[in-house]
Amino acid sequence: DRKPRVFSGIQPTSDSFHLGNYLGALRQWVALQDDSDALYCVVDQHAITVDHDPKVLHERSRVSAAQLLALGVDPERCILFIQSQVPEHAMLAWILGSETGMGEASRMTQFKDKSAKQERTTVGLFTYPILMAADILLYQTDQVPVGEDQRQHLELSRDLAGRFNTTYGKTFIVPEPYIVKETATIKDLSDPEKKMSKTSSGPRGCLYLLDDANVMRKKIKSAVTDSEAQVRYDLEHKPGVSNLLNIYAAVGDTTVEKLEADYAGKGYGDFKGDLAEVVAEAFGPVAVKTREYLADKAELDRILTAGAEKARHLATRTIDKAYKKIGF
Ligand code: ADP
């Protein structure tokens, strides 16, 4: 029996991924490689649905791929590629767009949130969930690791797959959500009421994977806590300390309970100092490796071209099928 096919994508919308991206998504990418047949995609076509600078986008796509490799996404065990290098995504999106009702597309809440923040809203931003459905259905994906924020889009992908199959005959696998190992949302270090985010976090609130190790240490040590001086998990009353406990448990591969016991009677200074070392040790080498991948342009190109070729090989099979069914 074959391994489940997994597809996941991430937008190249910042110069570095942050700790929230890693703990909430990318950590699973690395973990899923062995027990599944995984495709991982830097979705640059999604990134042009809002304002962007072409040079910056190009660079960010490469930096994103390099970071994924540095984190342990292994092109020998999965298919890693850049979306725009596989034209079948856009081809299938066109077909699926013609199967999507205006009403159902209009119900996507992320569009409402994102368009409210833009000066100029594009049709591309509106049809974004249809391109995402194409990304997934193109590879006959069984499972899609998704966070809460992408649930509604995955539901649309499932509806479109089912409807197309019913109307034209079996063409697509209807993908299931893969519920990722429960990770609490990582909170902003300087404002633990908010989630850690590249767009809304201030300079100290977001821990970037490409931060220098000393910058990481500083950010952890200056994280907002409370005046109780007890390392205890209490999301409501102690959101700062609870966030640090979540980070420590995840990065240090331990549990909150064990950490509470270890730090009983100790102050925040000890706790933060140890966490700063755990984080710097875990991600310091990622930054170094990312720079190594970026320094060898030919090798990075080779990896991404090979990934795109493998992806296209699978994608053309689905496109051939869908084209026949639709009457092309
Ligand atoms: P941002 O909020 O910084 O713009 P994205 O929306 O690009 O991040 O998120 C990419 C992935 O990272 C998504 O799967 C999302 O669920 C995950 N993610 C982002 N921020 C966090 C966070 N603070 N905690 C946990 N997961 C997160």
Side-chain angles (χ1 to χ4, degrees):
D1 48 358
R2 66 180 189 91
K3 293 178 183 177
R5 170 76 45 80
V6 164
F7 178 93
S8 199
I10 190 148
Q11 290 201 56
T13 44
S14 62
D15 297 323
S16 170
F17 294 131
H18 58 72
L19 189 64
N21 298 142
Y22 177 70
L23 295 178
L26 303 177
R27 184 166 61 134
Q28 274 76 27
W29 288 25
V30 177
L32 281 167
Q33 293 178 105
D34 288 320
D35 297 324
S36 69
D37 177 6
L39 288 109
Y40 296 133
C41 184
V42 175
V43 291
D44 56 347
Q45 289 178 313
H46 287 276
I48 65 166
T49 58
V50 295
D51 286 341
H52 77 286
D53 174 325
K55 272 214 194 79
V56 173
L57 175 62
H58 184 79
E59 195 47 35
R60 284 178 171 176
S61 294
R62 298 178 61 84
V63 176
S64 298
Q67 280 177 90
L68 292 172
L69 292 164
L71 284 169
V73 169
D74 176 2
E76 301 298 320
R77 289 184 293 156
C78 71
I79 299 178
L80 172 67
F81 67 106
I82 294 181
Q83 187 184 28
S84 60
Q85 297 185 359
V86 180
E88 285 76 11
H89 289 252
M91 292 163 75
L92 184 58
W94 184 254
I95 294 179
L96 296 176
S98 302
E99 299 298 319
T100 309
M102 270 308 283
E104 83 185 320
S106 305
R107 282 194 289 277
M108 297 295 123
T109 55
Q110 195 179 76
F111 171 76
K112 292 175 197 167
D113 296 344
K114 281 194 179 171
S115 58
K117 290 181 198 144
Q118 295 289 310
E119 253 176 52
R120 158 184 161 276
T121 298
T122 65
V123 174
L125 186 63
F126 182 68
T127 55
Y128 178 115
I130 300 171
L131 179 59
M132 179 170 154
D135 299 339
I136 295 166
L137 303 186
L138 198 49
Y139 299 104
Q140 304 296 347
T141 301
D142 297 299
Q143 293 174 352
V144 186
V146 276
E148 215 36 64
D149 53 336
Q150 293 297 329
R151 279 263 186 171
Q152 196 188 26
H153 291 168
L154 182 63
E155 225 21 72
L156 177 70
S157 307
R158 289 168 49 80
D159 290 345
L160 290 173
R163 189 178 316 148
F164 194 99
N165 289 345
T166 307
T167 312
Y168 304 103
K170 178 100 181 74
T171 309
F172 300 114
I173 289 193
V174 181
E176 300 286 338
Y178 175 88
I179 308 304
V180 294
K181 197 171 78 182
E182 200 49 62
T183 312
T185 300
I186 304 305
K187 299 292 168 51
D188 188 305
L189 297 174
S190 47
D191 180 0
E193 304 290 335
K194 294 194 318 201
K195 80 165 200 161
M196 183 180 285
S197 161
K198 61 175 179 282
T199 37
S200 56
S201 292
R204 292 245 158 149
C206 190
L207 203 138
Y208 289 101
L209 303 188
L210 295 186
D211 278 342
D212 182 78
N214 278 327
V215 172
M216 292 187 193
R217 289 188 181 95
K218 258 191 213 141
K219 285 182 179 176
I220 296 277
K221 288 184 185 164
S222 62
V224 165
T225 48
D226 53 63
S227 54
E228 194 198 41
Q230 254 188 55
V231 181
R232 190 165 57 77
Y233 194 85
D234 180 344
L235 261 187
E236 195 184 334
H237 301 106
K238 297 165 72 71
V241 173
S242 303
N243 184 42
L244 295 179
L245 279 165
N246 279 330
I247 294 172
Y248 202 147
V251 179
D253 199 18
T254 176
T255 64
V256 168
E257 294 70 32
K258 174 141 193 331
L259 290 168
E260 283 176 330
D262 289 350
Y263 288 95
K266 295 186 188 160
Y268 291 157
D270 284 346
F271 173 63
K272 283 178 165 180
D274 291 349
L275 175 57
E277 287 318 309
V278 166
V279 167
E281 217 170 279
F283 298 109
V286 173
V288 173
K289 272 195 214 156
T290 300
R291 288 189 190 101
E292 283 170 11
Y293 277 110
L294 289 170
D296 192 347
K297 184 176 181 314
E299 172 65 2
L300 185 57
D301 284 344
R302 190 196 62 73
I303 292 170
L304 294 173
T305 305
E309 271 168 24
K310 287 189 214 163
R312 275 200 92 172
H313 178 75
L314 299 170
T316 46
R317 280 198 253 170
T318 302
I319 280 291
D320 286 350
K321 238 180 171 177
Y323 264 40
K324 278 203 192 86
K325 292 266 165 64
I326 203 86
F328 287 166

